[in-house]
Amino acid sequence: MNRARTRGAIALAGAAAIATVVGLASAADAASTLGASAAEKGRYFGTAVAAYKLSDATYSGILDREFNMITPENEMKWDATEPTQGQFSYGSADQIVAHAAAHGQRMRGHALAWHSQQPSWAQNMSGTALRNAMVNHITNVATHYAGKIYAWDVVNEAFADGGNGARRDSNLQRTGNDWIEVAFRTARAADPGAKLCYNDYNTDGQNAKSNAVYAMVQDFKARGVPIDCVGFQSHINSGSPLPSDYQANLQRFANLGVDVQITELDIAGSGTAQANSYASVVKACLAVSRCTGITVWGIRDSDSWRSGDTPLLFDNNGNKKAAYNSTLDALNGSASSPPPVSSPPVSSPPVSSPPPSTGSCTATASINQWQGGFVATVRVTAGSSAINNWTVTMALPSGATVTNSWNVNRSGNSWTNVAYNGQVNAGQYTEWGFQANGTAGTLTPTCAGS
Ligand code: G3I
């Protein structure tokens, strides 16, 4: 009896000890830095970095302790990387990339084509000269950093504010409405391994501007323009409060088949209100499986482009703010949709069994011509039977020279499928394209299927 009671007491004490140990273990499991905690949820937590601040020990100390993704705040922009036409200058950006490589951090590239922060020589350009300069710029910069960039902001802030969902007027926009897709295709050709993002502000909830971006992404996905992600800058203040449909807006973009990322988060304010808003943003991202990560636009309040708003997670001395604690707590919280299994950015159609038989096909070309150059999108449509491979024969007019192509192999006038788009089911189509200098005229492609 006594022995039994003693055994029971030991068992109870053991259970309590186990409970204590389990309690300690789960507390220890909660990550203690933003990057580690985000990583536990299959996501990243990043910050904008200025190269000239890397020698500040407080700044670098927080950077390397807390963040596992870096966006150069200004160093990869057009004015920084090509200050003189054709002369590329990568010093400050390379410094950040080297820092990231040495500390196991990944990079978001920002930004290849933007109406703002253009070098003065580009600001003064228009038409074909500007279009060609943009393509050359993207090709050079994306090639220089190929293999080192997780995601590029290929095009930044191309839509206007206000109620009509129009494109923003700019010298780039005036080269032709297709400048955005040309930018994406050029970036894909230069760095096929980087995810390619469209990035904008005041698109954080459903409104005319985000609806216009949504329509563009939907159109790009339908036509095979390479886009992998949409960045939501999320500069939040009293004029641009956190929308109540923030999560729903992220989700509707994700449903189009792109990743979504919070790319430049800062929230004006202080104390509990600011802390709660940060937690709301984190929870929204964790609830959307294709929300792959969050980047804040600077480290300390004093590092912010609008430091007077005290919008960041660390105070001027590098101390953690309430907003830091709420962000970490939200990251450590349980509500999370698992992130998608990471896949290469070049999208392939779902694997399906080979079509049962082979047949004929037709091809049509649509042209976006501007002064001195064009983009051709070619559609291959299978006839009444499926095809496993296709070859399009198409001559270009004299003087037209191809500068890049996508989703196709080319040998002279012969254009054949790549590995992932040869199989086309009866009546279905696939699209590929190329960009060229010169004048397209009327292209008359013919198709042979097998
Ligand atoms: O480096 C020069 C310095 O030599 C000079 O003395 C000083 C005088 O004004 O200017 C310094 O350059 C400034 C640069 O930031 C570096 O501090 C530029 O004038 C200033 O215009 C530039 O501002 C940047 C701004 O983009 C320009 O549009 C901000 O740092 C940067 O945070 C901000 O970031 C943008 C994103 O790229 C896109 N989304 C909005 C976001 C906030 O505006």
Side-chain angles (χ1 to χ4, degrees), residues 366-413:
S366 58
I367 308 295
N368 277 320
Q369 179 79 54
W370 63 88
Q371 183 93 36
F374 65 95
V375 162
T377 303
V378 182
R379 177 178 292 196
V380 169
T381 306
S384 54
S385 302
I387 53 177
N388 287 321
N389 292 286
W390 46 261
T391 299
V392 170
T393 304
M394 180 174 58
L396 297 183
S398 65
T401 50
V402 174
T403 52
N404 66 63
S405 61
W406 46 93
N407 301 339
V408 72
N409 292 313
R410 178 188 180 212
S411 172
N413 293 339

mmCIF file of all heavy atoms in Angstrom, residues 366-413:
data_model
loop_
_atom_site.group_PDB
_atom_site.id
_atom_site.type_symbol
_atom_site.label_atom_id
_atom_site.label_comp_id
_atom_site.label_asym_id
_atom_site.label_seq_id
_atom_site.Cartn_x
_atom_site.Cartn_y
_atom_site.Cartn_z
ATOM 1 N N SER A 366 1.330 37.281 -83.079
ATOM 2 C CA SER A 366 0.839 38.642 -82.827
ATOM 3 C C SER A 366 2.046 39.513 -82.492
ATOM 4 O O SER A 366 2.999 39.061 -81.840
ATOM 5 C CB SER A 366 -0.203 38.661 -81.716
ATOM 6 O OG SER A 366 0.351 38.133 -80.548
ATOM 7 N N ILE A 367 1.989 40.743 -82.943
ATOM 8 C CA ILE A 367 3.170 41.615 -82.903
ATOM 9 C C ILE A 367 2.889 42.859 -82.081
ATOM 10 O O ILE A 367 1.840 43.482 -82.214
ATOM 11 C CB ILE A 367 3.541 42.087 -84.341
ATOM 12 C CG1 ILE A 367 3.657 40.890 -85.286
ATOM 13 C CG2 ILE A 367 4.822 42.918 -84.335
ATOM 14 C CD1 ILE A 367 4.769 39.945 -84.955
ATOM 15 N N ASN A 368 3.834 43.201 -81.205
ATOM 16 C CA ASN A 368 3.853 44.537 -80.591
ATOM 17 C C ASN A 368 5.029 45.269 -81.200
ATOM 18 O O ASN A 368 6.182 45.002 -80.855
ATOM 19 C CB ASN A 368 4.059 44.435 -79.070
ATOM 20 C CG ASN A 368 2.762 44.169 -78.363
ATOM 21 O OD1 ASN A 368 1.749 44.727 -78.720
ATOM 22 N ND2 ASN A 368 2.816 43.310 -77.358
ATOM 23 N N GLN A 369 4.742 46.155 -82.102
ATOM 24 C CA GLN A 369 5.805 46.875 -82.823
ATOM 25 C C GLN A 369 6.000 48.253 -82.216
ATOM 26 O O GLN A 369 5.029 48.932 -81.893
ATOM 27 C CB GLN A 369 5.405 47.020 -84.303
ATOM 28 C CG GLN A 369 6.390 47.775 -85.174
ATOM 29 C CD GLN A 369 7.582 46.924 -85.585
ATOM 30 O OE1 GLN A 369 7.416 45.846 -86.130
ATOM 31 N NE2 GLN A 369 8.793 47.415 -85.305
ATOM 32 N N TRP A 370 7.215 48.661 -82.025
ATOM 33 C CA TRP A 370 7.486 50.054 -81.715
ATOM 34 C C TRP A 370 8.557 50.532 -82.692
ATOM 35 O O TRP A 370 9.060 49.742 -83.490
ATOM 36 C CB TRP A 370 7.913 50.235 -80.250
ATOM 37 C CG TRP A 370 9.196 49.539 -79.888
ATOM 38 C CD1 TRP A 370 10.453 50.025 -79.996
ATOM 39 C CD2 TRP A 370 9.331 48.207 -79.355
ATOM 40 N NE1 TRP A 370 11.365 49.090 -79.561
ATOM 41 C CE2 TRP A 370 10.705 47.964 -79.161
ATOM 42 C CE3 TRP A 370 8.419 47.202 -79.011
ATOM 43 C CZ2 TRP A 370 11.195 46.770 -78.656
ATOM 44 C CZ3 TRP A 370 8.912 46.010 -78.509
ATOM 45 C CH2 TRP A 370 10.285 45.805 -78.336
ATOM 46 N N GLN A 371 8.856 51.792 -82.659
ATOM 47 C CA GLN A 371 9.825 52.335 -83.600
ATOM 48 C C GLN A 371 11.158 51.605 -83.429
ATOM 49 O O GLN A 371 11.830 51.771 -82.433
ATOM 50 C CB GLN A 371 10.013 53.830 -83.299
ATOM 51 C CG GLN A 371 10.936 54.551 -84.231
ATOM 52 C CD GLN A 371 10.168 55.187 -85.381
ATOM 53 O OE1 GLN A 371 9.062 55.652 -85.189
ATOM 54 N NE2 GLN A 371 10.733 55.166 -86.556
ATOM 55 N N GLY A 372 11.508 50.740 -84.406
ATOM 56 C CA GLY A 372 12.825 50.100 -84.365
ATOM 57 C C GLY A 372 12.877 48.734 -83.726
ATOM 58 O O GLY A 372 13.933 48.096 -83.713
ATOM 59 N N GLY A 373 11.779 48.253 -83.169
ATOM 60 C CA GLY A 373 11.839 46.935 -82.545
ATOM 61 C C GLY A 373 10.455 46.356 -82.330
ATOM 62 O O GLY A 373 9.446 47.027 -82.490
ATOM 63 N N PHE A 374 10.395 45.078 -82.001
ATOM 64 C CA PHE A 374 9.094 44.456 -81.757
ATOM 65 C C PHE A 374 9.232 43.208 -80.889
ATOM 66 O O PHE A 374 10.328 42.649 -80.757
ATOM 67 C CB PHE A 374 8.396 44.102 -83.082
ATOM 68 C CG PHE A 374 9.098 43.054 -83.919
ATOM 69 C CD1 PHE A 374 8.743 41.713 -83.834
ATOM 70 C CD2 PHE A 374 10.110 43.420 -84.799
ATOM 71 C CE1 PHE A 374 9.386 40.753 -84.612
ATOM 72 C CE2 PHE A 374 10.755 42.463 -85.580
ATOM 73 C CZ PHE A 374 10.398 41.134 -85.497
ATOM 74 N N VAL A 375 8.111 42.848 -80.287
ATOM 75 C CA VAL A 375 7.989 41.568 -79.598
ATOM 76 C C VAL A 375 6.937 40.761 -80.339
ATOM 77 O O VAL A 375 5.855 41.277 -80.643
ATOM 78 C CB VAL A 375 7.579 41.758 -78.119
ATOM 79 C CG1 VAL A 375 7.041 40.458 -77.539
ATOM 80 C CG2 VAL A 375 8.763 42.235 -77.298
ATOM 81 N N ALA A 376 7.268 39.522 -80.673
ATOM 82 C CA ALA A 376 6.306 38.636 -81.324
ATOM 83 C C ALA A 376 5.893 37.545 -80.345
ATOM 84 O O ALA A 376 6.741 36.961 -79.664
ATOM 85 C CB ALA A 376 6.926 37.998 -82.570
ATOM 86 N N THR A 377 4.601 37.334 -80.226
ATOM 87 C CA THR A 377 4.086 36.220 -79.437
ATOM 88 C C THR A 377 3.464 35.230 -80.414
ATOM 89 O O THR A 377 2.593 35.603 -81.213
ATOM 90 C CB THR A 377 3.023 36.714 -78.442
ATOM 91 O OG1 THR A 377 3.610 37.730 -77.621
ATOM 92 C CG2 THR A 377 2.522 35.575 -77.565
ATOM 93 N N VAL A 378 3.959 33.998 -80.397
ATOM 94 C CA VAL A 378 3.515 33.002 -81.372
ATOM 95 C C VAL A 378 2.708 31.930 -80.637
ATOM 96 O O VAL A 378 3.144 31.411 -79.605
ATOM 97 C CB VAL A 378 4.707 32.363 -82.107
ATOM 98 C CG1 VAL A 378 4.219 31.368 -83.156
ATOM 99 C CG2 VAL A 378 5.565 33.443 -82.752
ATOM 100 N N ARG A 379 1.551 31.662 -81.165
ATOM 101 C CA ARG A 379 0.680 30.653 -80.560
ATOM 102 C C ARG A 379 0.656 29.406 -81.447
ATOM 103 O O ARG A 379 0.385 29.503 -82.646
ATOM 104 C CB ARG A 379 -0.735 31.208 -80.398
ATOM 105 C CG ARG A 379 -1.720 30.192 -79.853
ATOM 106 C CD ARG A 379 -3.085 30.803 -79.664
ATOM 107 N NE ARG A 379 -3.114 31.799 -78.599
ATOM 108 C CZ ARG A 379 -4.223 32.261 -78.037
ATOM 109 N NH1 ARG A 379 -5.404 31.804 -78.432
ATOM 110 N NH2 ARG A 379 -4.186 33.164 -77.088
ATOM 111 N N VAL A 380 0.944 28.261 -80.859
ATOM 112 C CA VAL A 380 0.887 26.979 -81.564
ATOM 113 C C VAL A 380 -0.356 26.240 -81.070
ATOM 114 O O VAL A 380 -0.485 25.970 -79.861
ATOM 115 C CB VAL A 380 2.151 26.136 -81.278
ATOM 116 C CG1 VAL A 380 1.983 24.712 -81.784
ATOM 117 C CG2 VAL A 380 3.372 26.800 -81.907
ATOM 118 N N THR A 381 -1.253 25.955 -81.979
ATOM 119 C CA THR A 381 -2.506 25.283 -81.605
ATOM 120 C C THR A 381 -2.555 23.906 -82.247
ATOM 121 O O THR A 381 -2.342 23.767 -83.467
ATOM 122 C CB THR A 381 -3.720 26.111 -82.081
ATOM 123 O OG1 THR A 381 -3.598 27.448 -81.577
ATOM 124 C CG2 THR A 381 -5.030 25.502 -81.594
ATOM 125 N N ALA A 382 -2.792 22.905 -81.438
ATOM 126 C CA ALA A 382 -2.896 21.538 -81.970
ATOM 127 C C ALA A 382 -4.223 21.375 -82.706
ATOM 128 O O ALA A 382 -5.228 22.011 -82.348
ATOM 129 C CB ALA A 382 -2.788 20.528 -80.832
ATOM 130 N N GLY A 383 -4.213 20.531 -83.737
ATOM 131 C CA GLY A 383 -5.436 20.264 -84.488
ATOM 132 C C GLY A 383 -6.340 19.288 -83.755
ATOM 133 O O GLY A 383 -6.416 19.311 -82.513
ATOM 134 N N SER A 384 -6.974 18.424 -84.485
ATOM 135 C CA SER A 384 -7.950 17.522 -83.864
ATOM 136 C C SER A 384 -7.284 16.387 -83.094
ATOM 137 O O SER A 384 -7.951 15.627 -82.396
ATOM 138 C CB SER A 384 -8.887 16.963 -84.937
ATOM 139 O OG SER A 384 -8.112 16.367 -85.951
ATOM 140 N N SER A 385 -5.963 16.268 -83.241
ATOM 141 C CA SER A 385 -5.226 15.283 -82.445
ATOM 142 C C SER A 385 -4.143 15.991 -81.640
ATOM 143 O O SER A 385 -3.687 17.076 -82.025
ATOM 144 C CB SER A 385 -4.547 14.251 -83.353
ATOM 145 O OG SER A 385 -5.496 13.613 -84.159
ATOM 146 N N ALA A 386 -3.738 15.349 -80.572
ATOM 147 C CA ALA A 386 -2.668 15.918 -79.753
ATOM 148 C C ALA A 386 -1.334 15.826 -80.489
ATOM 149 O O ALA A 386 -1.162 14.984 -81.369
ATOM 150 C CB ALA A 386 -2.574 15.158 -78.439
ATOM 151 N N ILE A 387 -0.402 16.688 -80.123
ATOM 152 C CA ILE A 387 0.955 16.605 -80.658
ATOM 153 C C ILE A 387 1.941 16.473 -79.498
ATOM 154 O O ILE A 387 1.660 16.908 -78.374
ATOM 155 C CB ILE A 387 1.316 17.835 -81.525
ATOM 156 C CG1 ILE A 387 1.058 19.150 -80.770
ATOM 157 C CG2 ILE A 387 0.539 17.813 -82.847
ATOM 158 C CD1 ILE A 387 1.466 20.398 -81.547
ATOM 159 N N ASN A 388 3.085 15.844 -79.782
ATOM 160 C CA ASN A 388 4.143 15.687 -78.767
ATOM 161 C C ASN A 388 5.309 16.646 -78.996
ATOM 162 O O ASN A 388 6.088 16.904 -78.079
ATOM 163 C CB ASN A 388 4.678 14.251 -78.768
ATOM 164 C CG ASN A 388 3.674 13.296 -78.165
ATOM 165 O OD1 ASN A 388 3.018 13.623 -77.186
ATOM 166 N ND2 ASN A 388 3.535 12.125 -78.767
ATOM 167 N N ASN A 389 5.430 17.088 -80.246
ATOM 168 C CA ASN A 389 6.492 18.042 -80.594
ATOM 169 C C ASN A 389 5.959 18.936 -81.696
ATOM 170 O O ASN A 389 5.071 18.530 -82.448
ATOM 171 C CB ASN A 389 7.747 17.314 -81.104
ATOM 172 C CG ASN A 389 8.414 16.519 -79.999
ATOM 173 O OD1 ASN A 389 9.055 17.069 -79.112
ATOM 174 N ND2 ASN A 389 8.246 15.192 -80.043
ATOM 175 N N TRP A 390 6.517 20.124 -81.782
ATOM 176 C CA TRP A 390 6.121 20.998 -82.879
ATOM 177 C C TRP A 390 7.332 21.766 -83.404
ATOM 178 O O TRP A 390 8.311 22.005 -82.683
ATOM 179 C CB TRP A 390 5.015 21.974 -82.477
ATOM 180 C CG TRP A 390 5.193 22.683 -81.166
ATOM 181 C CD1 TRP A 390 4.620 22.361 -79.979
ATOM 182 C CD2 TRP A 390 6.001 23.856 -80.912
ATOM 183 N NE1 TRP A 390 5.012 23.235 -78.992
ATOM 184 C CE2 TRP A 390 5.859 24.167 -79.541
ATOM 185 C CE3 TRP A 390 6.822 24.653 -81.687
ATOM 186 C CZ2 TRP A 390 6.518 25.244 -78.934
ATOM 187 C CZ3 TRP A 390 7.477 25.740 -81.099
ATOM 188 C CH2 TRP A 390 7.312 26.016 -79.728
ATOM 189 N N THR A 391 7.262 22.081 -84.682
ATOM 190 C CA THR A 391 8.270 22.935 -85.317
ATOM 191 C C THR A 391 7.530 24.007 -86.102
ATOM 192 O O THR A 391 6.644 23.696 -86.902
ATOM 193 C CB THR A 391 9.165 22.131 -86.280
ATOM 194 O OG1 THR A 391 9.851 21.128 -85.529
ATOM 195 C CG2 THR A 391 10.182 23.046 -86.963
ATOM 196 N N VAL A 392 7.875 25.246 -85.820
ATOM 197 C CA VAL A 392 7.288 26.358 -86.573
ATOM 198 C C VAL A 392 8.354 26.879 -87.528
ATOM 199 O O VAL A 392 9.505 27.092 -87.124
ATOM 200 C CB VAL A 392 6.814 27.471 -85.617
ATOM 201 C CG1 VAL A 392 6.435 28.732 -86.399
ATOM 202 C CG2 VAL A 392 5.645 26.986 -84.777
ATOM 203 N N THR A 393 7.979 27.024 -88.761
ATOM 204 C CA THR A 393 8.892 27.629 -89.741
ATOM 205 C C THR A 393 8.427 29.056 -89.988
ATOM 206 O O THR A 393 7.243 29.287 -90.286
ATOM 207 C CB THR A 393 8.881 26.825 -91.047
ATOM 208 O OG1 THR A 393 9.217 25.473 -90.726
ATOM 209 C CG2 THR A 393 9.901 27.376 -92.032
ATOM 210 N N MET A 394 9.346 29.983 -89.806
ATOM 211 C CA MET A 394 8.956 31.392 -89.934
ATOM 212 C C MET A 394 10.203 32.211 -90.263
ATOM 213 O O MET A 394 11.176 32.223 -89.509
ATOM 214 C CB MET A 394 8.344 31.888 -88.616
ATOM 215 C CG MET A 394 7.917 33.337 -88.643
ATOM 216 S SD MET A 394 7.043 33.779 -87.124
ATOM 217 C CE MET A 394 8.247 33.400 -85.874
ATOM 218 N N ALA A 395 10.134 32.865 -91.391
ATOM 219 C CA ALA A 395 11.254 33.732 -91.783
ATOM 220 C C ALA A 395 11.018 35.128 -91.233
ATOM 221 O O ALA A 395 9.878 35.586 -91.150
ATOM 222 C CB ALA A 395 11.345 33.770 -93.310
ATOM 223 N N LEU A 396 12.099 35.785 -90.847
ATOM 224 C CA LEU A 396 11.991 37.181 -90.415
ATOM 225 C C LEU A 396 12.341 38.084 -91.589
ATOM 226 O O LEU A 396 13.167 37.724 -92.428
ATOM 227 C CB LEU A 396 12.956 37.450 -89.259
ATOM 228 C CG LEU A 396 12.700 36.674 -87.977
ATOM 229 C CD1 LEU A 396 13.698 37.097 -86.907
ATOM 230 C CD2 LEU A 396 11.290 36.902 -87.484
ATOM 231 N N PRO A 397 11.729 39.257 -91.656
ATOM 232 C CA PRO A 397 12.086 40.172 -92.742
ATOM 233 C C PRO A 397 13.547 40.586 -92.648
ATOM 234 O O PRO A 397 14.130 40.569 -91.553
ATOM 235 C CB PRO A 397 11.163 41.373 -92.501
ATOM 236 C CG PRO A 397 10.492 41.153 -91.217
ATOM 237 C CD PRO A 397 10.744 39.783 -90.729
ATOM 238 N N SER A 398 14.132 40.924 -93.772
ATOM 239 C CA SER A 398 15.543 41.300 -93.743
ATOM 240 C C SER A 398 15.712 42.531 -92.847
ATOM 241 O O SER A 398 14.849 43.413 -92.807
ATOM 242 C CB SER A 398 16.040 41.593 -95.159
ATOM 243 O OG SER A 398 15.369 42.714 -95.660
ATOM 244 N N GLY A 399 16.775 42.529 -92.103
ATOM 245 C CA GLY A 399 17.034 43.637 -91.186
ATOM 246 C C GLY A 399 16.545 43.376 -89.778
ATOM 247 O O GLY A 399 16.944 44.057 -88.843
ATOM 248 N N ALA A 400 15.676 42.384 -89.615
ATOM 249 C CA ALA A 400 15.189 42.068 -88.266
ATOM 250 C C ALA A 400 16.165 41.098 -87.588
ATOM 251 O O ALA A 400 16.518 40.073 -88.166
ATOM 252 C CB ALA A 400 13.798 41.459 -88.340
ATOM 253 N N THR A 401 16.609 41.442 -86.406
ATOM 254 C CA THR A 401 17.525 40.559 -85.674
ATOM 255 C C THR A 401 16.956 40.263 -84.293
ATOM 256 O O THR A 401 16.532 41.175 -83.571
ATOM 257 C CB THR A 401 18.912 41.215 -85.508
ATOM 258 O OG1 THR A 401 18.715 42.534 -84.989
ATOM 259 C CG2 THR A 401 19.660 41.287 -86.825
ATOM 260 N N VAL A 402 16.952 38.994 -83.946
ATOM 261 C CA VAL A 402 16.377 38.571 -82.670
ATOM 262 C C VAL A 402 17.344 38.900 -81.537
ATOM 263 O O VAL A 402 18.539 38.601 -81.625
ATOM 264 C CB VAL A 402 16.078 37.050 -82.708
ATOM 265 C CG1 VAL A 402 15.616 36.555 -81.348
ATOM 266 C CG2 VAL A 402 15.034 36.760 -83.777
ATOM 267 N N THR A 403 16.833 39.531 -80.483
ATOM 268 C CA THR A 403 17.689 39.845 -79.328
ATOM 269 C C THR A 403 17.489 38.860 -78.177
ATOM 270 O O THR A 403 18.405 38.605 -77.420
ATOM 271 C CB THR A 403 17.420 41.274 -78.819
ATOM 272 O OG1 THR A 403 16.012 41.430 -78.602
ATOM 273 C CG2 THR A 403 17.885 42.302 -79.827
ATOM 274 N N ASN A 404 16.305 38.331 -78.028
ATOM 275 C CA ASN A 404 16.114 37.226 -77.076
ATOM 276 C C ASN A 404 14.789 36.526 -77.372
ATOM 277 O O ASN A 404 13.930 37.067 -78.077
ATOM 278 C CB ASN A 404 16.198 37.697 -75.620
ATOM 279 C CG ASN A 404 15.087 38.619 -75.223
ATOM 280 O OD1 ASN A 404 13.926 38.232 -75.232
ATOM 281 N ND2 ASN A 404 15.405 39.853 -74.866
ATOM 282 N N SER A 405 14.677 35.318 -76.875
ATOM 283 C CA SER A 405 13.456 34.536 -77.120
ATOM 284 C C SER A 405 13.133 33.739 -75.868
ATOM 285 O O SER A 405 13.960 33.613 -74.962
ATOM 286 C CB SER A 405 13.660 33.603 -78.319
ATOM 287 O OG SER A 405 14.709 32.692 -78.046
ATOM 288 N N TRP A 406 11.923 33.213 -75.788
ATOM 289 C CA TRP A 406 11.520 32.474 -74.598
ATOM 290 C C TRP A 406 10.611 31.304 -74.992
ATOM 291 O O TRP A 406 9.876 31.371 -75.987
ATOM 292 C CB TRP A 406 10.823 33.369 -73.572
ATOM 293 C CG TRP A 406 9.796 34.274 -74.157
ATOM 294 C CD1 TRP A 406 8.464 34.046 -74.285
ATOM 295 C CD2 TRP A 406 10.032 35.571 -74.739
ATOM 296 N NE1 TRP A 406 7.870 35.113 -74.893
ATOM 297 C CE2 TRP A 406 8.782 36.057 -75.188
ATOM 298 C CE3 TRP A 406 11.172 36.346 -74.922
ATOM 299 C CZ2 TRP A 406 8.654 37.296 -75.809
ATOM 300 C CZ3 TRP A 406 11.028 37.583 -75.537
ATOM 301 C CH2 TRP A 406 9.785 38.050 -75.964
ATOM 302 N N ASN A 407 10.726 30.242 -74.260
ATOM 303 C CA ASN A 407 9.889 29.040 -74.431
ATOM 304 C C ASN A 407 10.042 28.419 -75.817
ATOM 305 O O ASN A 407 9.107 27.792 -76.317
ATOM 306 C CB ASN A 407 8.405 29.345 -74.174
ATOM 307 C CG ASN A 407 8.152 29.884 -72.788
ATOM 308 O OD1 ASN A 407 8.965 29.695 -71.890
ATOM 309 N ND2 ASN A 407 7.043 30.563 -72.606
ATOM 310 N N VAL A 408 11.221 28.558 -76.431
ATOM 311 C CA VAL A 408 11.413 28.034 -77.784
ATOM 312 C C VAL A 408 12.904 27.821 -78.040
ATOM 313 O O VAL A 408 13.750 28.484 -77.422
ATOM 314 C CB VAL A 408 10.819 29.018 -78.824
ATOM 315 C CG1 VAL A 408 11.664 30.270 -78.962
ATOM 316 C CG2 VAL A 408 10.573 28.347 -80.179
ATOM 317 N N ASN A 409 13.230 26.850 -78.920
ATOM 318 C CA ASN A 409 14.594 26.710 -79.441
ATOM 319 C C ASN A 409 14.582 27.207 -80.873
ATOM 320 O O ASN A 409 13.657 26.907 -81.630
ATOM 321 C CB ASN A 409 15.037 25.237 -79.432
ATOM 322 C CG ASN A 409 15.211 24.718 -78.015
ATOM 323 O OD1 ASN A 409 15.823 25.368 -77.183
ATOM 324 N ND2 ASN A 409 14.661 23.532 -77.757
ATOM 325 N N ARG A 410 15.620 27.938 -81.261
ATOM 326 C CA ARG A 410 15.627 28.484 -82.613
ATOM 327 C C ARG A 410 16.863 28.031 -83.369
ATOM 328 O O ARG A 410 17.963 27.983 -82.819
ATOM 329 C CB ARG A 410 15.635 30.015 -82.544
ATOM 330 C CG ARG A 410 15.692 30.636 -83.928
ATOM 331 C CD ARG A 410 15.903 32.130 -83.832
ATOM 332 N NE ARG A 410 15.960 32.715 -85.166
ATOM 333 C CZ ARG A 410 16.683 33.762 -85.483
ATOM 334 N NH1 ARG A 410 17.428 34.359 -84.574
ATOM 335 N NH2 ARG A 410 16.678 34.225 -86.711
ATOM 336 N N SER A 411 16.655 27.673 -84.624
ATOM 337 C CA SER A 411 17.767 27.441 -85.533
ATOM 338 C C SER A 411 17.369 28.089 -86.852
ATOM 339 O O SER A 411 16.571 27.533 -87.622
ATOM 340 C CB SER A 411 18.020 25.941 -85.684
ATOM 341 O OG SER A 411 18.975 25.743 -86.702
ATOM 342 N N GLY A 412 17.856 29.276 -87.093
ATOM 343 C CA GLY A 412 17.492 30.005 -88.314
ATOM 344 C C GLY A 412 16.002 30.284 -88.353
ATOM 345 O O GLY A 412 15.447 30.869 -87.421
ATOM 346 N N ASN A 413 15.362 29.813 -89.380
ATOM 347 C CA ASN A 413 13.917 30.025 -89.512
ATOM 348 C C ASN A 413 13.092 28.928 -88.850
ATOM 349 O O ASN A 413 11.873 28.906 -88.969
ATOM 350 C CB ASN A 413 13.542 30.113 -91.000
ATOM 351 C CG ASN A 413 14.111 31.362 -91.646
ATOM 352 O OD1 ASN A 413 14.434 32.317 -90.950
ATOM 353 N ND2 ASN A 413 14.244 31.341 -92.970
#
